[in-house]
Amino acid sequence: MNPGRLFGLLSKEFAQMLRDPVVLFLIVWLTTVEIAMCTMAVGMDVKNLKLGLIDHDRSAASRALSEELTSADSFVLAGLFASVDQAEAELKKGKLAAIVEIPPGFGARVASGRQVSVGVVVDGSNADVASRARAYIIEMTARFSQERLMGSMRMAAGVQPAVRVWYNPNLTNTRFEALAMLAQAGFMLAVILPAAGMVREKQNGTLEQIRVTPIRAHELFLGKVLPPVTVTLGSLLPSLLVLRVLDVPMNGSVMTFMALEALFLLSAVSIGMFVASITDTLQQALLTSFFSLFPLLFLSGSVSPIESMPVWLQFASQASPLRHGIAIVTGLFLKGAGMGELWPHALALALIGAPLFTASWLLFRRQW
Amino acid sequence: MKVARILAFSHKEVLEIVRDPITVWIALFMPLVILFLFGYALSFDVENAPLIIVDHDKSAASRALSDQFLNTTYFRLVGAPEDERAAEHALMQGKARAVLSIPPGFGRRLKQGEAAPVEFLVDGTYASTAAIVSAYGRAIMYAYPSGSLQLPVQPEVRVWYNPQLRSRDFIVPGLFAVILMAFPPLLTALAVSREKELGTIAQIYASPLTKPEFIVGKLLPYAGIAALQLAVVLAAGFLWFKVPMHGSLALLTVLGLVYVLCTVSIGLLVSTVVRTQVAAMLVTLIVTLMPSFLFSGFIYPIFTMPPFFQAYSAKIPTMYFVNISRGIVMRGAGLAEVWVNVAVLVVYTAVVLILATLLLKKRIA
């Protein structure tokens, strides 16, 4: 390895990147405006869901249940309806998130200690909201039942759950969404940029010119890996400001962030380099990158939680660098985790990146 | 506009596409992969959330409470350390989503009829999971005296439109719209920028081909591929996922063609504006791919967004086809119900194509 040659190569790569202002602008747009927009659009509160109530009983017990349902900030009473049909019409229009129907004789059955069913309809068109609404209703009716049971057993009190939520006490989507977007933006750039940079030389035939210079294969390889990592890492600095504006706390160390982020981007670059080594034209390289990006993006848990996926996909998700990248940024920013907690993810990133780099290096050697 | 010239130009484009088999395979395979991933794995409901139980009491009562957590499908035990320190470490590592901590004296307090506090610590990183885990955790603790979740008051929950909260019947029709916005423009965006980057556009400049002929000639082959993509996702949706069709498949197919023509035109517009393929790809990412997931009402309903984003969503065609597709597939809607959406798509396409023609610079490079 000749440092002078490597330096010359790197300055050529950087010059090439900096002379494309459109692409630079798009990179910065992706890591700032796009992060802010997506976060603000989907990060709204899933609180005060609108509840429609049909009370066929009109007893003290049914009123107590409806008070129970709206006692926390999960639901607000959006309307009392005479019939299910009326309430369902509102649900269809998207004006209600859930409907609770209290049957006639509810109070009498509760008083006599018999079981009684309460009808609940949840609008499933937003799976996130629907899952929460269902869980809240199950919780509130359980609490209502406990109070009644305690009463009938003449006991003062039972189990008192004290629930504390760490890292994101208000349970808004904002923080996670912002961090997931940060990781996604870096990931996409770190796959696409090196793939394009390498294949362009192949397609334009400029690889031939490099081959006749004293530059060695490994020097060119490094020269293609380092600039996209540096540029992407640099473009994430303004993102840190955006995160601050979005009120995402930074509880970990910035140094650890930069180190782990570099490792994360390297494993993403390994995908890009592998794509470049199996394709010949820029069109193929870009499409293949996207083809690999999407499943990896989906498996990262940024679209829907990994735990809610089928078990075999949960295993498959371990192979997505983005999954580990998101675990690292959420760990650092929200949980204040350090290397002591995050090393398994760092190890996973190294284990994903190393074989891909090796494979792309071997393939590249054969083409050199 | 001469039809013969357009056809000749389209023919050249088709040859170029067909002779690059990787591109064709990816174009057809990519929508399928996404359809399958989302169709099988998009869910927000919580099952088997990893739970740590720290039992300081070790009484019959505390064991009964632990069992009650583990007898549900909501939680699975991943550890039972002696102290909170280890539990909190696991929470930080993301190995557990919640920690149930039962203090000493829990059993005794319950027996004496006193309030028996129990601590339940939840990782709030994934807000939706955390909200559901907290609610289920509370519900189980409230249900403790009856020994099961069979409490006197039983909520009988029905989830509309999406009964298992992951129902393909609901997700797949929305996915048609998302996928056909996300992928056809990718290919088209490279159509003109590739010629610019490789310099072959100079040959076009030198030819008698006019601007409208160029646009239409470029559009046709990619619209053809997009039509194939439409066929692939519709076939997978109705034959593999067996989504029940309440409306007319013919209508959905025709309107689907209108829609892909629209999305392909957007790709073409991007391609005429930018100079390089990488830039084309990044712009498509920003103007079609991301918005099709976030601003289409597919996962996140538009009416709950702030007004600015509602206005933004209205500028993106995906929303209109989500309405069309869900309307036809799930509610059996006809043209009479969805025509407004169709009209928007038609006007949208026309505007985009005119813009593309105007912005295409035909000059000596």
Side-chain angles (χ1 to χ4, degrees), chain B residues 32-351:
Chain B
L32 266 189
V33 172
I34 299 302
L35 190 70
F36 276 78
L37 276 176
F38 275 77
Y40 278 112
L42 186 73
S43 163
F44 287 89
D45 211 19
V46 176
E47 264 175 46
N48 294 319
L51 173 75
I52 284 183
I53 299 179
V54 187
D55 184 354
H56 291 296
D57 193 39
K58 296 194 173 34
S59 63
S62 70
R63 272 190 299 276
L65 182 64
S66 305
D67 286 345
Q68 210 159 317
F69 267 87
L70 304 177
N71 286 339
T72 63
T73 54
Y74 306 134
F75 295 101
R76 71 189 156 89
L77 189 67
V78 289
E82 289 300 309
D83 66 347
E84 269 79 11
R85 184 92 60 80
E88 284 164 11
H89 188 71
L91 207 61
M92 202 178 243
Q93 278 194 309
K95 283 189 180 154
R97 285 279 166 254
V99 177
L100 174 71
S101 166
I102 308 174
F106 170 77
R108 180 181 49 78
R109 280 163 175 272
L110 268 186
K111 213 173 276 174
Q112 291 167 357
E114 289 171 36
V118 172
E119 190 161 86
F120 193 59
L121 182 61
V122 179
D123 173 357
T125 312
Y126 299 84
S128 142
T129 311
I132 295 166
V133 163
S134 330
Y136 285 154
R138 283 201 191 96
I140 292 168
M141 287 186 262
Y142 292 131
Y144 175 78
S146 70
S148 75
L149 269 175
Q150 289 299 310
L151 285 165
V153 180
Q154 274 298 308
E156 302 262 326
V157 183
R158 284 182 297 146
V159 180
W160 263 26
Y161 307 128
N162 186 2
Q164 278 116 49
L165 285 177
R166 64 168 74 179
S167 165
R168 281 135 217 168
D169 302 357
F170 179 75
I171 289 173
V172 171
L175 266 178
F176 291 157
V178 172
I179 289 175
L180 294 172
M181 176 75 179
F183 301 112
L186 283 183
L187 205 55
T188 328
L190 300 178
V192 186
S193 55
R194 184 186 57 222
E195 302 234 22
K196 288 190 201 166
E197 203 164 8
L198 294 179
T200 48
I201 195 107
Q203 297 164 6
I204 310 276
Y205 294 154
S207 74
L209 207 62
T210 63
K211 285 206 271 182
E213 286 167 357
F214 177 84
I215 292 291
V216 176
K218 274 280 178 192
L219 192 65
L220 286 178
Y222 292 98
I225 292 184
L228 284 180
Q229 290 174 320
L230 172 73
V232 167
V233 292
L234 289 184
F238 293 115
L239 301 177
W240 179 270
F241 287 111
K242 299 207 164 52
V243 172
M245 175 56 151
H246 295 287
S248 147
L249 182 60
L251 180 65
L252 183 65
T253 312
V254 170
L255 297 183
L257 287 171
V258 174
Y259 177 60
V260 294
L261 199 64
C262 180
T263 62
V264 165
S265 307
I266 296 175
L268 200 57
L269 174 62
V270 169
S271 203
T272 55
V273 178
V274 300
R275 276 187 309 122
T276 64
Q277 294 174 74
V278 174
M281 220 58 180
L282 292 176
V283 174
T284 344
L285 195 72
I286 291 166
V287 301
T288 68
L289 240 158
M290 311 268 253
S292 70
F293 283 93
L294 292 174
F295 300 105
S296 59
F298 166 60
I299 302 179
Y300 308 98
I302 291 160
F303 64 86
T304 57
M305 289 181 184
F308 171 76
F309 292 110
Q310 295 195 18
Y312 182 71
S313 302
K315 308 278 183 300
I316 291 157
T318 320
M319 182 182 108
Y320 303 101
F321 196 66
V322 168
N323 293 340
I324 293 174
S325 176
R326 283 190 179 157
I328 295 177
V329 177
M330 293 165 59
R331 293 195 298 272
L335 199 55
E337 283 85 14
V338 297
W339 72 269
V340 181
N341 296 290
V342 182
V344 173
L345 288 181
V346 171
V347 174
Y348 201 108
T349 314
V351 171

Side-chain angles (χ1 to χ4, degrees), chain A residues 20 22-23 26-27 29-30 34 37-38 40-42 44 88 91-92 94 106 110 114-128 130-132 134-139 141-146 149-150 155-168 171-173 176-177 181 188-189 192-193 196 200 203-204 281-284 286-288 290-291 294-295 298 301 303-305 307-310 313 330 334-337 340-341 343-345, chain B residues 20 22-23 26 29-30 33-34 37-38 40-47 50 65 74 88-89 91-94 97 106 110 113-132 134-136 138-139 141-146 150-163 165-166 170 183 186-187 190 194 197-198 274-279 281-283 285-286 289-290 293-295 298-301 303-306 309 312:
Chain A
D20 194 344
V22 177
V23 170
L26 290 170
I27 290 174
W29 179 277
L30 209 60
E34 202 66 21
M37 272 187 62
C38 296
M40 277 148 58
V42 305
M44 70 277 168
E88 288 184 346
L91 187 92
K92 268 187 196 157
F106 173 81
V110 168
R114 278 178 297 165
Q115 280 220 339
V116 55
S117 294
V118 173
V120 178
V121 180
V122 175
D123 174 6
S125 51
N126 178 336
D128 178 14
S131 312
R132 290 197 198 198
R134 182 168 73 175
Y136 292 150
I137 290 176
I138 291 175
E139 173 199 338
T141 50
R143 179 149 140 205
F144 178 80
S145 295
Q146 187 203 33
L149 266 183
M150 290 291 127
M155 283 166 70
V159 179
Q160 297 290 310
V163 177
R164 284 186 299 152
V165 177
W166 270 11
Y167 315 130
N168 181 17
L171 287 181
T172 53
N173 291 330
F176 176 73
E177 195 62 37
M181 279 300 303
M188 293 184 191
L189 292 172
I192 296 172
L193 295 178
R200 200 167 19 210
Q203 191 176 9
N204 293 349
T281 67
L282 199 48
Q283 173 168 324
Q284 289 174 354
L286 289 170
L287 288 174
T288 315
F290 269 88
F291 186 57
F294 271 87
F298 185 83
V303 184
S304 73
E307 286 147 3
S308 307
M309 292 177 189
L313 275 182
T330 52
L334 300 182
K335 304 182 179 179
E341 285 81 22
W343 67 267
H345 297 294
Chain B
D20 186 357
I22 294 188
T23 302
I26 288 183
F29 205 59
M30 188 145 61
V33 172
I34 299 302
L37 276 176
F38 275 77
Y40 278 112
L42 186 73
S43 163
F44 287 89
D45 211 19
V46 176
E47 264 175 46
L65 182 64
Y74 306 134
E88 284 164 11
H89 188 71
L91 207 61
M92 202 178 243
Q93 278 194 309
R97 285 279 166 254
F106 170 77
L110 268 186
E114 289 171 36
V118 172
E119 190 161 86
F120 193 59
L121 182 61
V122 179
D123 173 357
T125 312
Y126 299 84
S128 142
T129 311
I132 295 166
S134 330
Y136 285 154
R138 283 201 191 96
M141 287 186 262
Y142 292 131
Y144 175 78
S146 70
Q150 289 299 310
L151 285 165
V153 180
Q154 274 298 308
E156 302 262 326
V157 183
R158 284 182 297 146
V159 180
W160 263 26
Y161 307 128
N162 186 2
L165 285 177
R166 64 168 74 179
F170 179 75
F183 301 112
L186 283 183
L187 205 55
L190 300 178
R194 184 186 57 222
E197 203 164 8
L198 294 179
V274 300
R275 276 187 309 122
T276 64
Q277 294 174 74
V278 174
M281 220 58 180
L282 292 176
V283 174
L285 195 72
I286 291 166
L289 240 158
M290 311 268 253
F293 283 93
L294 292 174
F295 300 105
F298 166 60
I299 302 179
Y300 308 98
F303 64 86
T304 57
M305 289 181 184
F309 292 110
Y312 182 71

